[in-house]
């Protein structure tokens, strides 16, 4: 399954191992790590048995970069695709995630278009009247206020929102790395101070296994990570961002206050009726 377990009825030679657990037909389980092929490293002098004809013809090393021949192409074809190494649950979750992302995007775009259509067609007289008065006011102000000041205000607001999001992201990352340092120090028995630029392999070098890291993240941050979830993380900063994004214990979205000046456009659009409520 997604955690590397296989299930069977008993530890026998005739046992039929499966990827899913059945409470009636599966009573034992086993785990074996299968390495994932990331790339092929071609050596200049491949290992050949002594006395073979190819070994005598390849004793002189080739100068310059290694040339790719038919053997290299044949070896590249023998690489197992990533999809074949995924379990049934991984493939199902992958397709469900793609479907949900497409559905959410389509639902958001359709709802926005529907509300703008209802705003123009005067489904709600009060809301459409307010929109018409606001447009007239903007046209009058455009004759007085220079356009460059409007663009400067928009650009300054964009930079302010980006800086606020960056400060919150760095704060959440620092909190996670501090907690990870305390837990790793208790596991390995010596003081550790982990930084974001350090590689994830630093944890394994200090005695922190991936299984223990997965269990610690799931228990402390209410996540549902598997052992394969951390494969995409190269350094500890990416690991921290992954946990912060998946955990409900971190504040990731700016709180939206219902005051009119916090988000005038979205607050106004919320009052536009849809086809179901019109």
């Amino acid at each position: 399954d997604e955690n590397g377990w296989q299930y069977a009825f008993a530890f026998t030679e005739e046992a039929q191992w499966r990827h899913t657990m059945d409470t009636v037909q599966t009573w034992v389980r086993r785990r074996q790590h299968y390495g994932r092929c990331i790339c092929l490293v071609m050596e200049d002098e491949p290992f050949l048995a002594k006395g073979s004809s190819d070994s005598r013809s390849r004793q002189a090393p080739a100068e310059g970069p290694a040339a790719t021949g038919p053997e290299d192409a044949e070896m590249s074809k023998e690489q197992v695709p990533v999809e074949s190494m995924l379990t049934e649950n991984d493939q199902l979750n992958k397709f469900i995630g793609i479907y949900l992302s497409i559905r959410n995007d389509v639902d958001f775009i359709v709802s926005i278009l529907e509300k703008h259509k209802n705003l123009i067609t005067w489904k709600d007289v009060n809301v459409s009247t307010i929109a018409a008065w606001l447009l007239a006011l903007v046209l009058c102000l455009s004759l007085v206020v220079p356009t460059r000041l409007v663009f400067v205000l928009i650009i300054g607001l964009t930079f302010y929102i980006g800086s606020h999001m960056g400060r919150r992201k760095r704060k959440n990352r620092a909190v996670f790395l501090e907690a990870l340092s305390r837990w790793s120090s208790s596991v390995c028995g010596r003081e550790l101070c982990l930084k974001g630029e350090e590689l994830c392999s630093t944890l394994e070098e200090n005695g922190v296994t991936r299984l223990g890291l997965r269990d610690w993240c799931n228990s402390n941050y209410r996540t549902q990570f598997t052992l394969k979830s951390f494969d995409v993380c190269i350094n500890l900063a990416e690991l921290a961002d992954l946990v912060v994004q998946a955990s409900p214990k971190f504040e990731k979205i700016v709180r939206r206050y219902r005051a009119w000046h916090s988000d005038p456009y979205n607050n106004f659009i919320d009052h536009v009726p849809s086809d179901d409520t019109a």
Side-chain angles (χ1 to χ4, degrees):
D1 55 5
E2 62 273 8
N3 293 322
W5 290 103
Q6 290 181 337
Y7 305 90
F9 182 77
F11 290 108
T12 58
E13 295 181 356
E14 296 81 9
Q16 297 180 357
W17 296 94
R18 59 181 66 187
H19 299 294
T20 57
M21 185 186 68
D22 189 353
T23 56
V24 178
Q25 298 182 0
T26 56
W27 293 88
V28 296
R29 65 177 183 175
R30 68 179 182 182
R31 171 183 281 174
Q32 185 175 358
H33 175 72
Y34 291 96
R36 177 175 295 181
C37 180
I38 300 178
C39 63
L40 274 179
V41 179
M42 303 302 299
E43 297 181 355
D44 294 337
E45 295 183 0
F47 175 78
L48 295 173
K50 293 182 178 180
S52 60
S53 59
D54 293 339
S55 62
R56 288 189 295 268
S57 61
R58 298 184 183 180
Q59 286 179 357
E63 297 179 357
T68 57
E71 297 179 356
D72 299 336
E74 184 178 356
M75 293 184 64
S76 62
K77 292 180 180 179
E78 294 178 357
Q79 293 185 11
V80 180
V82 178
E83 288 76 6
S84 63
M85 294 184 290
L86 299 177
T87 62
E88 291 84 355
N89 292 335
D90 292 337
Q91 293 180 359
L92 178 61
N93 294 331
K94 175 183 176 182
F95 292 125
I96 289 177
I98 296 174
Y99 164 73
L100 292 177
S101 63
I102 296 174
R103 188 194 65 177
N104 294 336
D105 293 342
V106 171
D107 180 70
F108 175 75
I109 295 174
V110 170
S111 62
I112 291 296
L113 293 177
E114 181 181 313
K115 288 191 174 185
H116 283 81
K117 184 261 295 181
N118 293 336
L119 180 64
I120 297 173
T121 56
W122 295 76
K123 289 289 184 180
D124 192 326
V125 179
N126 295 329
V127 176
S128 299
T129 303
I130 294 174
W133 279 106
L134 289 176
L135 287 176
L137 180 61
V138 169
L139 290 176
C140 294
L141 290 177
S142 63
L143 301 176
V144 181
V145 180
T147 307
R148 61 178 179 272
L149 295 181
V150 178
F151 279 97
V152 168
L153 179 62
I154 295 175
I155 294 174
L157 182 61
T158 303
F159 275 96
Y160 171 75
I161 296 174
S163 64
H164 183 71
M165 295 176 62
R167 288 194 300 268
R168 186 177 64 251
K169 181 178 181 180
R170 289 190 293 270
K171 178 182 177 181
N172 293 334
R173 181 186 296 175
V175 170
F176 174 78
L177 290 177
E178 182 180 359
L180 180 62
S181 300
R182 291 197 302 267
W183 176 73
S184 301
S185 300
S186 63
V187 171
C188 64
R190 60 178 180 274
E191 189 68 23
L192 293 178
C193 184
L194 301 175
K195 303 296 182 181
E197 60 272 9
E198 297 183 11
L199 299 178
C200 293
S201 58
T202 307
L203 297 175
E204 298 181 359
E205 293 174 358
N206 289 279
V208 179
T209 61
R210 178 173 294 194
L211 179 62
L213 178 63
R214 191 278 309 267
D215 295 339
W216 177 75
C217 292
N218 291 342
S219 60
N220 287 274
Y221 296 101
R222 292 187 293 176
T223 56
Q224 296 180 355
F225 289 125
T226 62
L227 292 177
K228 296 180 181 179
S229 302
F230 302 137
D231 291 343
V232 297
C233 301
I234 299 177
N235 51 28
L236 296 180
E238 296 181 359
L239 175 63
D241 295 340
L242 179 66
V243 176
V244 169
Q245 185 67 26
S247 175
K249 300 184 67 176
F250 291 97
E251 183 181 357
K252 299 177 287 294
I253 302 176
V254 180
R255 294 181 180 179
R256 181 184 172 190
Y257 301 98
R258 297 304 297 181
W260 65 271
H261 56 79
S262 62
D263 195 352
Y265 177 75
N266 288 327
N267 286 336
F268 182 77
I269 288 296
D270 287 343
H271 292 83
V272 178
S274 61
D275 291 341
D276 296 334
T277 59

